[in-house]
Amino acid sequence: MSCGHFQHVRHNPPWQNRPWVEKLETRNEMLGHLLDCKKCEEGAPPDEKV
């Protein structure tokens, strides 16, 4: 993310339903979609690149 945090988006966490991750076509449609950064909301420092 442009803020320096990483965010993994998956289909089957217990709190979210994201059926768009099941197919390559619908995943590609979401590229560039803006996501709220939970780490920024918590004031976390940027993630370290390995």
Side-chain angles (χ1 to χ4, degrees), residues 11 17-23 26:
H11 171 59
N17 182 20
R18 294 187 174 115
W20 57 267
V21 302
E22 296 176 349
K23 295 181 181 177
T26 52

Side-chain angles (χ1 to χ4, degrees), residues 6-43:
F6 307 144
Q7 182 168 339
H8 181 80
V9 180
R10 49 190 165 172
H11 171 59
N12 199 15
W15 57 91
Q16 299 247 348
N17 182 20
R18 294 187 174 115
W20 57 267
V21 302
E22 296 176 349
K23 295 181 181 177
L24 180 60
E25 180 181 323
T26 52
R27 285 195 304 270
N28 286 341
E29 290 173 1
M30 292 299 289
L31 290 175
H33 182 77
L34 296 179
L35 298 173
D36 291 330
C37 181
K38 302 299 181 190
K39 292 180 182 180
C40 281
E41 291 174 4
E42 297 169 355

